[in-house]
Amino acid sequence: MAGSTVRVDRDGPIASVTLARPEVRNAFNSELIADLHATFDELAAQPPEALRAVVLAGDGPAFCAGADVTWMRASLALSVEENEADAGRLAAMLESIDICPVPVVARIHGAALGGGMGLCAVADIVLATADTAFGFTETRLGILPAIISPFVLRRIGEGHARALFLTGERFGAGRAQDIGLVHEVLPDDATLDTRLGALLDELLAAGPTAVRAAKAVVLEQRWLDAEARKTQTVQAMARQRTSAEGQEGLTAFLERRPPDWRPDRGS
């Protein structure tokens, strides 16, 4: 799993995926894109009881500062077809995170720029320190935030995207939260990590298959019409209620005891 540009650590059912190119502020290059894609493909294959959540973070002073200068310089020599293939690999990597069945929590600090904004958009929950700088900075380089746009538009909507894509301006964590890119802003790294720990405890308190099914309900409704959405949600609820986990959860509630998946069940 992973590679030289990504580090994966495990703490029981929690995996931490860390971008490990601090010398370039974890900027994207072809190797980092490939390593992230492979890592999330492998994590997606793990069963609910083995993997309950993934934390996505970055080493060093910044979460992800966009695209690596050397990688961008190399693109000058690529043909249109080669550029399309290169862009396709970035899109596939972002999609692998977006559709990962496991909850993905992004820990954002320092800066999230360009492609780093795409990583924010494909995470389920985004926590950021108050001093983080955000920006869709591609137009400042004469290029476009095109690859990340499908993911970003679903998160922040067309109105905010039109304002921020065009100018390429940087903005603070408060605005990132206001537009829906970030869910919570914490004062500093220590407070962020405390909140992250509490959030992971909340995920561990929920049913392992129920959490994945809840995420799937959201993702699957993107392309459904009203009638199909009704059918999908009714079937999803019925499946979960009649599953072993659903039966245990409801029984535990009625018996006023913790369900068997809770880490604190024996305390």
Side-chain angles (χ1 to χ4, degrees):
M1 185 183 293
S4 63
T5 68
V6 172
R7 186 176 69 254
V8 179
D9 300 298
R10 291 297 293 258
D11 181 9
I14 306 296
S16 294
V17 177
T18 305
L19 313 185
R21 304 187 73 223
E23 69 282 0
V24 291
R25 293 161 59 87
N26 298 314
F28 284 143
N29 64 1
S30 57
E31 187 178 5
L32 176 56
I33 290 168
D35 286 346
L36 274 174
H37 192 169
T39 295
F40 274 87
D41 278 354
E42 291 189 41
L43 291 172
Q46 297 188 19
E49 63 274 13
L51 184 63
R52 305 283 297 278
V54 178
V55 177
L56 180 60
D59 267 344
F63 171 68
C64 179
D68 180 87
V69 173
T70 303
W71 183 51
M72 288 192 291
R73 185 179 296 116
S75 72
L76 294 172
L78 299 180
S79 66
V80 172
E81 292 77 13
E82 289 169 329
N83 266 292
E84 287 180 354
D86 205 37
R89 287 186 283 272
L90 174 58
M93 179 273 286
L94 291 170
E95 184 177 27
S96 72
I97 302 174
D98 185 51
I99 66 173
C100 183
V102 190
V104 178
V105 183
R107 182 197 184 281
I108 313 299
H109 75 289
L113 305 172
M117 299 286 273
L119 292 177
C120 294
V122 296
D124 298 302
I125 305 170
V126 181
L127 308 180
T129 54
D131 60 354
T132 304
F134 295 86
F136 301 101
T137 51
E138 288 89 345
T139 55
R140 298 295 180 97
L141 302 173
I143 55 176
L144 308 173
I147 304 304
I148 66 173
S149 64
F151 310 101
V152 172
L153 284 168
R154 283 196 288 262
R155 180 62 65 86
I156 71 173
E158 182 181 322
H160 292 302
R162 288 173 72 154
L164 295 169
F165 280 15
L166 308 187
T167 63
E169 67 178 303
R170 298 190 183 200
F171 53 93
R175 186 171 184 183
Q177 185 175 28
D178 289 342
I179 66 177
L181 186 72
V182 168
H183 296 100
E184 296 183 42
V185 175
L186 291 310
D188 50 41
D189 286 339
T191 311
L192 185 153
D193 287 332
T194 298
R195 175 55 184 147
L196 176 61
L199 184 60
L200 293 173
D201 286 343
E202 295 287 354
L203 289 170
L204 291 176
T209 66
V211 169
R212 293 193 181 202
K215 180 172 180 175
V217 163
V218 175
L219 297 182
E220 290 167 6
Q221 289 190 57
R222 287 174 174 172
W223 317 116
L224 301 178
D225 60 27
E227 190 60 31
R229 281 197 297 272
K230 183 172 71 173
T231 299
Q232 184 249 19
T233 54
V234 166
Q235 291 176 345
M237 174 58 82
R239 284 195 304 270
Q240 193 64 29
R241 279 181 177 172
T242 56
S243 70
E245 183 176 292
Q247 295 285 301
E248 164 63 13
L250 291 172
T251 300
F253 174 76
L254 294 172
E255 294 177 353
R256 299 179 181 274
R257 61 173 175 80
D260 59 13
W261 64 76
R262 285 279 294 266
D264 57 351
R265 184 169 182 261
S267 60

